[in-house]
mmCIF file of all heavy atoms in Angstrom:
data_model
loop_
_atom_site.group_PDB
_atom_site.id
_atom_site.type_symbol
_atom_site.label_atom_id
_atom_site.label_comp_id
_atom_site.label_asym_id
_atom_site.label_seq_id
_atom_site.Cartn_x
_atom_site.Cartn_y
_atom_site.Cartn_z
ATOM 1 N N MET A 30 -55.297 31.032 -16.492
ATOM 2 C CA MET A 30 -55.392 29.725 -17.090
ATOM 3 C C MET A 30 -55.779 29.833 -18.571
ATOM 4 O O MET A 30 -55.258 29.099 -19.395
ATOM 5 C CB MET A 30 -56.395 28.859 -16.347
ATOM 6 C CG MET A 30 -56.474 27.481 -16.972
ATOM 7 S SD MET A 30 -57.644 26.370 -16.249
ATOM 8 C CE MET A 30 -59.137 26.967 -16.952
ATOM 9 N N ASN A 31 -56.684 30.752 -18.904
ATOM 10 C CA ASN A 31 -57.099 30.880 -20.295
ATOM 11 C C ASN A 31 -55.918 31.221 -21.193
ATOM 12 O O ASN A 31 -55.834 30.732 -22.317
ATOM 13 C CB ASN A 31 -58.191 31.937 -20.435
ATOM 14 C CG ASN A 31 -59.491 31.509 -19.792
ATOM 15 O OD1 ASN A 31 -59.719 30.330 -19.587
ATOM 16 N ND2 ASN A 31 -60.324 32.460 -19.454
ATOM 17 N N ARG A 32 -55.024 32.059 -20.704
ATOM 18 C CA ARG A 32 -53.846 32.426 -21.498
ATOM 19 C C ARG A 32 -52.959 31.209 -21.732
ATOM 20 O O ARG A 32 -52.423 31.029 -22.823
ATOM 21 C CB ARG A 32 -53.060 33.527 -20.784
ATOM 22 C CG ARG A 32 -51.883 34.024 -21.600
ATOM 23 C CD ARG A 32 -51.159 35.136 -20.917
ATOM 24 N NE ARG A 32 -52.042 36.287 -20.879
ATOM 25 C CZ ARG A 32 -51.833 37.355 -20.130
ATOM 26 N NH1 ARG A 32 -50.782 37.417 -19.349
ATOM 27 N NH2 ARG A 32 -52.663 38.370 -20.140
ATOM 28 N N THR A 33 -52.829 30.360 -20.730
ATOM 29 C CA THR A 33 -52.012 29.153 -20.877
ATOM 30 C C THR A 33 -52.618 28.218 -21.914
ATOM 31 O O THR A 33 -51.902 27.659 -22.750
ATOM 32 C CB THR A 33 -51.860 28.436 -19.521
ATOM 33 O OG1 THR A 33 -51.306 29.360 -18.574
ATOM 34 C CG2 THR A 33 -50.956 27.228 -19.637
ATOM 35 N N VAL A 34 -53.917 28.042 -21.873
ATOM 36 C CA VAL A 34 -54.602 27.182 -22.844
ATOM 37 C C VAL A 34 -54.439 27.772 -24.245
ATOM 38 O O VAL A 34 -54.184 27.039 -25.212
ATOM 39 C CB VAL A 34 -56.084 26.998 -22.469
ATOM 40 C CG1 VAL A 34 -56.842 26.265 -23.570
ATOM 41 C CG2 VAL A 34 -56.204 26.260 -21.146
ATOM 42 N N LEU A 35 -54.540 29.087 -24.364
ATOM 43 C CA LEU A 35 -54.336 29.744 -25.655
ATOM 44 C C LEU A 35 -52.912 29.511 -26.159
ATOM 45 O O LEU A 35 -52.702 29.202 -27.341
ATOM 46 C CB LEU A 35 -54.615 31.241 -25.528
ATOM 47 C CG LEU A 35 -54.487 32.065 -26.796
ATOM 48 C CD1 LEU A 35 -55.518 31.640 -27.829
ATOM 49 C CD2 LEU A 35 -54.653 33.541 -26.466
ATOM 50 N N MET A 36 -51.934 29.625 -25.273
ATOM 51 C CA MET A 36 -50.544 29.390 -25.654
ATOM 52 C C MET A 36 -50.335 27.944 -26.090
ATOM 53 O O MET A 36 -49.586 27.671 -27.037
ATOM 54 C CB MET A 36 -49.610 29.754 -24.496
ATOM 55 C CG MET A 36 -49.545 31.245 -24.250
ATOM 56 S SD MET A 36 -48.654 31.714 -22.757
ATOM 57 C CE MET A 36 -47.042 31.093 -23.094
ATOM 58 N N LEU A 37 -50.995 26.995 -25.428
ATOM 59 C CA LEU A 37 -50.909 25.595 -25.849
ATOM 60 C C LEU A 37 -51.475 25.420 -27.255
ATOM 61 O O LEU A 37 -50.932 24.670 -28.068
ATOM 62 C CB LEU A 37 -51.656 24.697 -24.862
ATOM 63 C CG LEU A 37 -50.903 24.321 -23.603
ATOM 64 C CD1 LEU A 37 -51.854 23.716 -22.572
ATOM 65 C CD2 LEU A 37 -49.762 23.381 -23.907
ATOM 66 N N GLY A 38 -52.554 26.122 -27.555
ATOM 67 C CA GLY A 38 -53.130 26.062 -28.896
ATOM 68 C C GLY A 38 -52.174 26.597 -29.954
ATOM 69 O O GLY A 38 -52.013 26.015 -31.029
ATOM 70 N N PHE A 39 -51.514 27.717 -29.649
ATOM 71 C CA PHE A 39 -50.523 28.262 -30.575
ATOM 72 C C PHE A 39 -49.350 27.302 -30.742
ATOM 73 O O PHE A 39 -48.807 27.156 -31.837
ATOM 74 C CB PHE A 39 -50.003 29.619 -30.102
ATOM 75 C CG PHE A 39 -50.983 30.740 -30.291
ATOM 76 C CD1 PHE A 39 -51.227 31.641 -29.268
ATOM 77 C CD2 PHE A 39 -51.656 30.914 -31.491
ATOM 78 C CE1 PHE A 39 -52.105 32.697 -29.436
ATOM 79 C CE2 PHE A 39 -52.550 31.956 -31.674
ATOM 80 C CZ PHE A 39 -52.778 32.854 -30.642
ATOM 81 N N LEU A 40 -48.983 26.652 -29.664
ATOM 82 C CA LEU A 40 -47.872 25.705 -29.735
ATOM 83 C C LEU A 40 -48.233 24.508 -30.618
ATOM 84 O O LEU A 40 -47.406 24.023 -31.380
ATOM 85 C CB LEU A 40 -47.473 25.244 -28.331
ATOM 86 C CG LEU A 40 -46.245 24.361 -28.250
ATOM 87 C CD1 LEU A 40 -45.004 25.121 -28.734
ATOM 88 C CD2 LEU A 40 -46.032 23.888 -26.828
ATOM 89 N N VAL A 41 -49.468 24.044 -30.523
ATOM 90 C CA VAL A 41 -49.920 22.948 -31.385
ATOM 91 C C VAL A 41 -49.846 23.379 -32.848
ATOM 92 O O VAL A 41 -49.368 22.630 -33.709
ATOM 93 C CB VAL A 41 -51.351 22.503 -31.015
ATOM 94 C CG1 VAL A 41 -51.938 21.587 -32.066
ATOM 95 C CG2 VAL A 41 -51.348 21.824 -29.658
ATOM 96 N N ALA A 42 -50.294 24.596 -33.146
ATOM 97 C CA ALA A 42 -50.226 25.102 -34.525
ATOM 98 C C ALA A 42 -48.772 25.180 -34.990
ATOM 99 O O ALA A 42 -48.456 24.825 -36.126
ATOM 100 C CB ALA A 42 -50.900 26.468 -34.621
ATOM 101 N N TYR A 43 -47.894 25.645 -34.103
ATOM 102 C CA TYR A 43 -46.467 25.714 -34.439
ATOM 103 C C TYR A 43 -45.916 24.314 -34.715
ATOM 104 O O TYR A 43 -45.186 24.103 -35.686
ATOM 105 C CB TYR A 43 -45.697 26.370 -33.292
ATOM 106 C CG TYR A 43 -44.200 26.184 -33.390
ATOM 107 C CD1 TYR A 43 -43.462 26.926 -34.301
ATOM 108 C CD2 TYR A 43 -43.543 25.271 -32.585
ATOM 109 C CE1 TYR A 43 -42.083 26.753 -34.412
ATOM 110 C CE2 TYR A 43 -42.168 25.092 -32.685
ATOM 111 C CZ TYR A 43 -41.444 25.836 -33.595
ATOM 112 O OH TYR A 43 -40.097 25.658 -33.710
ATOM 113 N N ALA A 44 -46.277 23.360 -33.879
ATOM 114 C CA ALA A 44 -45.737 21.999 -33.998
ATOM 115 C C ALA A 44 -46.214 21.300 -35.268
ATOM 116 O O ALA A 44 -45.606 20.326 -35.692
ATOM 117 C CB ALA A 44 -46.119 21.180 -32.767
ATOM 118 N N GLU A 45 -47.285 21.790 -35.873
ATOM 119 C CA GLU A 45 -47.780 21.196 -37.109
ATOM 120 C C GLU A 45 -47.091 21.762 -38.346
ATOM 121 O O GLU A 45 -47.305 21.273 -39.449
ATOM 122 C CB GLU A 45 -49.292 21.387 -37.206
ATOM 123 C CG GLU A 45 -50.045 20.580 -36.169
ATOM 124 C CD GLU A 45 -51.534 20.839 -36.184
ATOM 125 O OE1 GLU A 45 -51.992 21.805 -36.841
ATOM 126 O OE2 GLU A 45 -52.248 20.081 -35.511
ATOM 127 N N GLN A 46 -46.271 22.798 -38.154
ATOM 128 C CA GLN A 46 -45.561 23.415 -39.275
ATOM 129 C C GLN A 46 -44.349 22.578 -39.657
ATOM 130 O O GLN A 46 -43.657 22.046 -38.792
ATOM 131 C CB GLN A 46 -45.099 24.832 -38.903
ATOM 132 C CG GLN A 46 -46.227 25.774 -38.577
ATOM 133 C CD GLN A 46 -47.169 25.971 -39.748
ATOM 134 O OE1 GLN A 46 -46.744 26.224 -40.860
ATOM 135 N NE2 GLN A 46 -48.456 25.824 -39.487
ATOM 136 N N PRO A 47 -44.055 22.479 -40.960
ATOM 137 C CA PRO A 47 -42.844 21.756 -41.371
ATOM 138 C C PRO A 47 -41.599 22.467 -40.851
ATOM 139 O O PRO A 47 -41.544 23.700 -40.810
ATOM 140 C CB PRO A 47 -42.886 21.801 -42.903
ATOM 141 C CG PRO A 47 -44.126 22.510 -43.297
ATOM 142 C CD PRO A 47 -44.810 23.003 -42.078
ATOM 143 N N GLY A 48 -40.655 21.700 -40.403
ATOM 144 C CA GLY A 48 -39.387 22.250 -39.939
ATOM 145 C C GLY A 48 -39.423 22.823 -38.531
ATOM 146 O O GLY A 48 -38.499 23.534 -38.133
ATOM 147 N N HIS A 49 -40.485 22.529 -37.774
ATOM 148 C CA HIS A 49 -40.551 23.054 -36.411
ATOM 149 C C HIS A 49 -39.489 22.379 -35.534
ATOM 150 O O HIS A 49 -38.994 21.303 -35.851
ATOM 151 C CB HIS A 49 -41.947 22.864 -35.811
ATOM 152 C CG HIS A 49 -42.270 21.446 -35.456
ATOM 153 N ND1 HIS A 49 -42.773 20.553 -36.373
ATOM 154 C CD2 HIS A 49 -42.141 20.770 -34.290
ATOM 155 C CE1 HIS A 49 -42.940 19.384 -35.786
ATOM 156 N NE2 HIS A 49 -42.568 19.481 -34.513
ATOM 157 N N ASP A 50 -39.161 23.026 -34.435
ATOM 158 C CA ASP A 50 -38.197 22.489 -33.481
ATOM 159 C C ASP A 50 -38.961 21.563 -32.527
ATOM 160 O O ASP A 50 -39.658 22.020 -31.628
ATOM 161 C CB ASP A 50 -37.531 23.635 -32.728
ATOM 162 C CG ASP A 50 -36.451 23.189 -31.764
ATOM 163 O OD1 ASP A 50 -36.454 22.017 -31.343
ATOM 164 O OD2 ASP A 50 -35.599 24.025 -31.417
ATOM 165 N N GLU A 51 -38.842 20.274 -32.748
ATOM 166 C CA GLU A 51 -39.619 19.301 -31.986
ATOM 167 C C GLU A 51 -39.264 19.322 -30.499
ATOM 168 O O GLU A 51 -40.140 19.223 -29.644
ATOM 169 C CB GLU A 51 -39.403 17.901 -32.560
ATOM 170 C CG GLU A 51 -40.361 16.894 -32.000
ATOM 171 C CD GLU A 51 -40.316 15.575 -32.747
ATOM 172 O OE1 GLU A 51 -40.018 15.560 -33.950
ATOM 173 O OE2 GLU A 51 -40.586 14.565 -32.100
ATOM 174 N N GLU A 52 -37.992 19.459 -30.187
ATOM 175 C CA GLU A 52 -37.581 19.489 -28.782
ATOM 176 C C GLU A 52 -38.182 20.706 -28.074
ATOM 177 O O GLU A 52 -38.665 20.603 -26.950
ATOM 178 C CB GLU A 52 -36.058 19.507 -28.675
ATOM 179 C CG GLU A 52 -35.577 19.407 -27.237
ATOM 180 C CD GLU A 52 -34.064 19.331 -27.132
ATOM 181 O OE1 GLU A 52 -33.364 19.358 -28.166
ATOM 182 O OE2 GLU A 52 -33.592 19.262 -25.991
ATOM 183 N N PHE A 53 -38.156 21.863 -28.735
ATOM 184 C CA PHE A 53 -38.753 23.072 -28.169
ATOM 185 C C PHE A 53 -40.237 22.841 -27.882
ATOM 186 O O PHE A 53 -40.725 23.150 -26.796
ATOM 187 C CB PHE A 53 -38.575 24.248 -29.128
ATOM 188 C CG PHE A 53 -39.364 25.467 -28.748
ATOM 189 C CD1 PHE A 53 -38.894 26.333 -27.778
ATOM 190 C CD2 PHE A 53 -40.580 25.749 -29.360
ATOM 191 C CE1 PHE A 53 -39.625 27.460 -27.416
ATOM 192 C CE2 PHE A 53 -41.315 26.867 -29.012
ATOM 193 C CZ PHE A 53 -40.826 27.727 -28.043
ATOM 194 N N ALA A 54 -40.953 22.311 -28.871
ATOM 195 C CA ALA A 54 -42.386 22.088 -28.710
ATOM 196 C C ALA A 54 -42.669 21.113 -27.568
ATOM 197 O O ALA A 54 -43.594 21.333 -26.776
ATOM 198 C CB ALA A 54 -42.992 21.576 -30.018
ATOM 199 N N ASP A 55 -41.865 20.068 -27.446
ATOM 200 C CA ASP A 55 -42.055 19.096 -26.367
ATOM 201 C C ASP A 55 -41.807 19.713 -25.000
ATOM 202 O O ASP A 55 -42.596 19.536 -24.065
ATOM 203 C CB ASP A 55 -41.137 17.890 -26.549
ATOM 204 C CG ASP A 55 -41.559 16.998 -27.692
ATOM 205 O OD1 ASP A 55 -42.710 17.120 -28.164
ATOM 206 O OD2 ASP A 55 -40.732 16.162 -28.113
ATOM 207 N N VAL A 56 -40.717 20.457 -24.871
ATOM 208 C CA VAL A 56 -40.355 21.038 -23.577
ATOM 209 C C VAL A 56 -41.349 22.117 -23.169
ATOM 210 O O VAL A 56 -41.865 22.123 -22.042
ATOM 211 C CB VAL A 56 -38.913 21.602 -23.607
ATOM 212 C CG1 VAL A 56 -38.611 22.425 -22.377
ATOM 213 C CG2 VAL A 56 -37.910 20.472 -23.753
ATOM 214 N N VAL A 57 -41.639 23.034 -24.085
ATOM 215 C CA VAL A 57 -42.560 24.125 -23.753
ATOM 216 C C VAL A 57 -43.972 23.585 -23.532
ATOM 217 O O VAL A 57 -44.663 23.999 -22.596
ATOM 218 C CB VAL A 57 -42.535 25.213 -24.852
ATOM 219 C CG1 VAL A 57 -43.610 26.252 -24.611
ATOM 220 C CG2 VAL A 57 -41.166 25.873 -24.898
ATOM 221 N N GLY A 58 -44.402 22.644 -24.363
ATOM 222 C CA GLY A 58 -45.730 22.064 -24.183
ATOM 223 C C GLY A 58 -45.877 21.372 -22.840
ATOM 224 O O GLY A 58 -46.888 21.531 -22.157
ATOM 225 N N GLY A 59 -44.855 20.629 -22.450
ATOM 226 C CA GLY A 59 -44.884 19.964 -21.146
ATOM 227 C C GLY A 59 -44.929 20.956 -20.002
ATOM 228 O O GLY A 59 -45.677 20.779 -19.036
ATOM 229 N N ALA A 60 -44.128 22.012 -20.114
ATOM 230 C CA ALA A 60 -44.099 23.030 -19.053
ATOM 231 C C ALA A 60 -45.442 23.745 -18.957
ATOM 232 O O ALA A 60 -45.946 23.985 -17.851
ATOM 233 C CB ALA A 60 -42.976 24.022 -19.316
ATOM 234 N N LEU A 61 -46.018 24.098 -20.098
ATOM 235 C CA LEU A 61 -47.317 24.771 -20.073
ATOM 236 C C LEU A 61 -48.389 23.855 -19.487
ATOM 237 O O LEU A 61 -49.205 24.284 -18.669
ATOM 238 C CB LEU A 61 -47.716 25.220 -21.477
ATOM 239 C CG LEU A 61 -46.969 26.413 -22.041
ATOM 240 C CD1 LEU A 61 -47.316 26.600 -23.515
ATOM 241 C CD2 LEU A 61 -47.270 27.678 -21.255
ATOM 242 N N ALA A 62 -48.400 22.608 -19.893
ATOM 243 C CA ALA A 62 -49.402 21.669 -19.388
ATOM 244 C C ALA A 62 -49.256 21.470 -17.882
ATOM 245 O O ALA A 62 -50.251 21.414 -17.161
ATOM 246 C CB ALA A 62 -49.287 20.341 -20.118
ATOM 247 N N MET A 63 -48.020 21.383 -17.400
ATOM 248 C CA MET A 63 -47.800 21.179 -15.968
ATOM 249 C C MET A 63 -48.162 22.417 -15.150
ATOM 250 O O MET A 63 -48.402 22.319 -13.951
ATOM 251 C CB MET A 63 -46.346 20.796 -15.692
ATOM 252 C CG MET A 63 -45.981 19.426 -16.220
ATOM 253 S SD MET A 63 -46.980 18.098 -15.528
ATOM 254 C CE MET A 63 -46.500 18.177 -13.822
ATOM 255 N N SER A 64 -48.213 23.581 -15.785
ATOM 256 C CA SER A 64 -48.551 24.794 -15.047
ATOM 257 C C SER A 64 -50.054 24.942 -14.837
ATOM 258 O O SER A 64 -50.485 25.788 -14.060
ATOM 259 C CB SER A 64 -48.006 26.027 -15.776
ATOM 260 O OG SER A 64 -48.753 26.307 -16.935
ATOM 261 N N LEU A 65 -50.843 24.127 -15.523
ATOM 262 C CA LEU A 65 -52.291 24.181 -15.343
ATOM 263 C C LEU A 65 -52.702 23.411 -14.096
ATOM 264 O O LEU A 65 -52.212 22.303 -13.869
ATOM 265 C CB LEU A 65 -53.001 23.566 -16.547
ATOM 266 C CG LEU A 65 -52.930 24.324 -17.852
ATOM 267 C CD1 LEU A 65 -53.462 23.460 -18.987
ATOM 268 C CD2 LEU A 65 -53.712 25.615 -17.765
ATOM 269 N N PRO A 66 -53.589 23.975 -13.289
ATOM 270 C CA PRO A 66 -54.107 23.200 -12.157
ATOM 271 C C PRO A 66 -54.950 22.048 -12.694
ATOM 272 O O PRO A 66 -55.762 22.244 -13.607
ATOM 273 C CB PRO A 66 -54.961 24.204 -11.378
ATOM 274 C CG PRO A 66 -55.224 25.321 -12.320
ATOM 275 C CD PRO A 66 -54.161 25.299 -13.371
ATOM 276 N N LEU A 67 -54.746 20.870 -12.192
ATOM 277 C CA LEU A 67 -55.411 19.685 -12.740
ATOM 278 C C LEU A 67 -56.929 19.802 -12.684
ATOM 279 O O LEU A 67 -57.608 19.455 -13.636
ATOM 280 C CB LEU A 67 -54.963 18.420 -12.012
ATOM 281 C CG LEU A 67 -55.518 17.112 -12.568
ATOM 282 C CD1 LEU A 67 -55.188 16.963 -14.048
ATOM 283 C CD2 LEU A 67 -55.006 15.938 -11.802
ATOM 284 N N ASP A 68 -57.478 20.310 -11.594
ATOM 285 C CA ASP A 68 -58.933 20.420 -11.492
ATOM 286 C C ASP A 68 -59.498 21.298 -12.597
ATOM 287 O O ASP A 68 -60.513 20.984 -13.191
ATOM 288 C CB ASP A 68 -59.347 20.981 -10.135
ATOM 289 C CG ASP A 68 -59.081 20.004 -9.003
ATOM 290 O OD1 ASP A 68 -58.925 18.805 -9.281
ATOM 291 O OD2 ASP A 68 -59.021 20.444 -7.846
ATOM 292 N N SER A 69 -58.835 22.399 -12.898
ATOM 293 C CA SER A 69 -59.314 23.307 -13.931
ATOM 294 C C SER A 69 -59.030 22.784 -15.325
ATOM 295 O O SER A 69 -59.714 23.133 -16.275
ATOM 296 C CB SER A 69 -58.647 24.675 -13.768
ATOM 297 O OG SER A 69 -58.952 25.212 -12.513
ATOM 298 N N ALA A 70 -58.002 21.965 -15.462
ATOM 299 C CA ALA A 70 -57.582 21.491 -16.774
ATOM 300 C C ALA A 70 -58.326 20.242 -17.220
ATOM 301 O O ALA A 70 -58.249 19.873 -18.385
ATOM 302 C CB ALA A 70 -56.084 21.203 -16.747
ATOM 303 N N ARG A 71 -59.044 19.602 -16.341
ATOM 304 C CA ARG A 71 -59.707 18.346 -16.687
ATOM 305 C C ARG A 71 -60.527 18.430 -17.977
ATOM 306 O O ARG A 71 -60.404 17.564 -18.834
ATOM 307 C CB ARG A 71 -60.573 17.859 -15.529
ATOM 308 C CG ARG A 71 -59.761 17.243 -14.429
ATOM 309 C CD ARG A 71 -60.662 16.686 -13.324
ATOM 310 N NE ARG A 71 -59.827 16.038 -12.330
ATOM 311 C CZ ARG A 71 -59.309 14.821 -12.467
ATOM 312 N NH1 ARG A 71 -59.560 14.121 -13.529
ATOM 313 N NH2 ARG A 71 -58.536 14.314 -11.532
ATOM 314 N N PRO A 72 -61.373 19.445 -18.166
ATOM 315 C CA PRO A 72 -62.158 19.488 -19.405
ATOM 316 C C PRO A 72 -61.268 19.623 -20.649
ATOM 317 O O PRO A 72 -61.562 19.045 -21.691
ATOM 318 C CB PRO A 72 -63.046 20.722 -19.245
ATOM 319 C CG PRO A 72 -63.051 21.024 -17.793
ATOM 320 C CD PRO A 72 -61.758 20.509 -17.252
ATOM 321 N N TYR A 73 -60.191 20.378 -20.547
ATOM 322 C CA TYR A 73 -59.306 20.587 -21.696
ATOM 323 C C TYR A 73 -58.516 19.326 -22.024
ATOM 324 O O TYR A 73 -58.129 19.112 -23.165
ATOM 325 C CB TYR A 73 -58.322 21.736 -21.434
ATOM 326 C CG TYR A 73 -59.006 23.049 -21.211
ATOM 327 C CD1 TYR A 73 -59.072 23.603 -19.949
ATOM 328 C CD2 TYR A 73 -59.602 23.727 -22.271
ATOM 329 C CE1 TYR A 73 -59.708 24.814 -19.740
ATOM 330 C CE2 TYR A 73 -60.244 24.932 -22.066
ATOM 331 C CZ TYR A 73 -60.287 25.472 -20.806
ATOM 332 O OH TYR A 73 -60.923 26.658 -20.608
ATOM 333 N N LEU A 74 -58.276 18.514 -21.019
ATOM 334 C CA LEU A 74 -57.503 17.292 -21.220
ATOM 335 C C LEU A 74 -58.391 16.097 -21.535
ATOM 336 O O LEU A 74 -57.906 15.004 -21.767
ATOM 337 C CB LEU A 74 -56.659 16.990 -19.964
ATOM 338 C CG LEU A 74 -55.638 18.053 -19.578
ATOM 339 C CD1 LEU A 74 -54.995 17.700 -18.243
ATOM 340 C CD2 LEU A 74 -54.583 18.213 -20.659
ATOM 341 N N GLY A 75 -59.698 16.311 -21.524
ATOM 342 C CA GLY A 75 -60.625 15.227 -21.819
ATOM 343 C C GLY A 75 -60.770 14.252 -20.665
ATOM 344 O O GLY A 75 -61.181 13.111 -20.870
ATOM 345 N N LEU A 76 -60.442 14.692 -19.451
ATOM 346 C CA LEU A 76 -60.539 13.816 -18.287
ATOM 347 C C LEU A 76 -61.912 13.949 -17.647
ATOM 348 O O LEU A 76 -62.500 15.032 -17.637
ATOM 349 C CB LEU A 76 -59.469 14.188 -17.249
ATOM 350 C CG LEU A 76 -58.026 14.055 -17.701
ATOM 351 C CD1 LEU A 76 -57.092 14.621 -16.635
ATOM 352 C CD2 LEU A 76 -57.679 12.609 -17.979
ATOM 353 N N PRO A 77 -62.427 12.869 -17.090
ATOM 354 C CA PRO A 77 -63.724 12.966 -16.395
ATOM 355 C C PRO A 77 -63.554 13.716 -15.080
ATOM 356 O O PRO A 77 -62.432 13.814 -14.561
ATOM 357 C CB PRO A 77 -64.081 11.498 -16.144
ATOM 358 C CG PRO A 77 -62.775 10.789 -16.107
ATOM 359 C CD PRO A 77 -61.881 11.529 -17.059
ATOM 360 N N PRO A 78 -64.628 14.257 -14.540
ATOM 361 C CA PRO A 78 -64.526 14.919 -13.229
ATOM 362 C C PRO A 78 -64.054 13.944 -12.172
ATOM 363 O O PRO A 78 -64.295 12.742 -12.268
ATOM 364 C CB PRO A 78 -65.973 15.370 -12.937
ATOM 365 C CG PRO A 78 -66.704 15.236 -14.217
ATOM 366 C CD PRO A 78 -65.967 14.272 -15.079
ATOM 367 N N GLU A 79 -63.374 14.487 -11.167
ATOM 368 C CA GLU A 79 -62.931 13.625 -10.058
ATOM 369 C C GLU A 79 -64.153 13.066 -9.348
ATOM 370 O O GLU A 79 -65.173 13.738 -9.219
ATOM 371 C CB GLU A 79 -62.117 14.453 -9.046
ATOM 372 C CG GLU A 79 -60.641 14.354 -9.262
ATOM 373 C CD GLU A 79 -59.879 15.010 -8.138
ATOM 374 O OE1 GLU A 79 -59.623 16.210 -8.242
ATOM 375 O OE2 GLU A 79 -59.548 14.322 -7.156
ATOM 376 N N SER A 80 -64.040 11.825 -8.875
ATOM 377 C CA SER A 80 -65.170 11.238 -8.159
ATOM 378 C C SER A 80 -65.414 12.038 -6.881
ATOM 379 O O SER A 80 -64.482 12.452 -6.203
ATOM 380 C CB SER A 80 -64.895 9.774 -7.839
ATOM 381 O OG SER A 80 -63.743 9.664 -7.035
ATOM 382 N N GLY A 81 -66.675 12.291 -6.606
ATOM 383 C CA GLY A 81 -67.030 13.024 -5.398
ATOM 384 C C GLY A 81 -67.039 14.533 -5.613
ATOM 385 O O GLY A 81 -67.356 15.270 -4.708
ATOM 386 N N SER A 82 -66.703 15.021 -6.802
ATOM 387 C CA SER A 82 -66.752 16.452 -7.047
ATOM 388 C C SER A 82 -67.919 16.754 -7.980
ATOM 389 O O SER A 82 -68.283 15.958 -8.838
ATOM 390 C CB SER A 82 -65.452 16.961 -7.672
ATOM 391 O OG SER A 82 -65.301 16.457 -8.978
ATOM 392 N N GLU A 83 -68.529 17.915 -7.761
ATOM 393 C CA GLU A 83 -69.650 18.314 -8.608
ATOM 394 C C GLU A 83 -69.163 19.342 -9.601
ATOM 395 O O GLU A 83 -68.469 20.264 -9.242
ATOM 396 C CB GLU A 83 -70.756 18.912 -7.758
ATOM 397 C CG GLU A 83 -71.392 17.908 -6.831
ATOM 398 C CD GLU A 83 -72.512 18.528 -6.031
ATOM 399 O OE1 GLU A 83 -73.153 19.475 -6.524
ATOM 400 O OE2 GLU A 83 -72.728 18.071 -4.911
ATOM 401 N N GLN A 84 -69.539 19.162 -10.889
ATOM 402 C CA GLN A 84 -69.156 20.145 -11.911
ATOM 403 C C GLN A 84 -70.291 20.465 -12.801
ATOM 404 O O GLN A 84 -71.100 19.766 -13.168
ATOM 405 C CB GLN A 84 -67.975 19.631 -12.716
ATOM 406 C CG GLN A 84 -66.757 19.541 -11.876
ATOM 407 C CD GLN A 84 -65.493 19.383 -12.745
ATOM 408 O OE1 GLN A 84 -65.545 19.396 -13.962
ATOM 409 N NE2 GLN A 84 -64.375 19.252 -12.094
#
């Protein structure tokens, strides 16, 4: 999971560059985000913990 989050960070840096391929960034970013397990990704996505779960 850490590698995926790191790759998302690199993708954000790439997407901020002038002349980047927007479609590539959208497709790859979506695929990387969907590959993260939601429970583990909650802190990275700014989501609150699920109700009834302890963190």
Side-chain angles (χ1 to χ4, degrees):
M30 181 182 78
N31 292 339
R32 184 178 293 166
T33 304
V34 172
L35 182 64
M36 290 172 62
L37 279 167
F39 286 133
L40 186 63
V41 168
Y43 166 76
E45 292 176 348
Q46 298 299 312
H49 72 275
D50 183 338
E51 191 170 330
E52 185 176 0
F53 170 81
D55 288 344
V56 170
V57 173
L61 286 171
M63 292 301 295
S64 73
L65 291 170
L67 184 56
D68 291 341
S69 300
R71 283 184 177 281
Y73 298 107
L74 299 174
L76 298 173
E79 264 188 271
S80 60
S82 68
E83 294 182 29
Q84 293 195 3

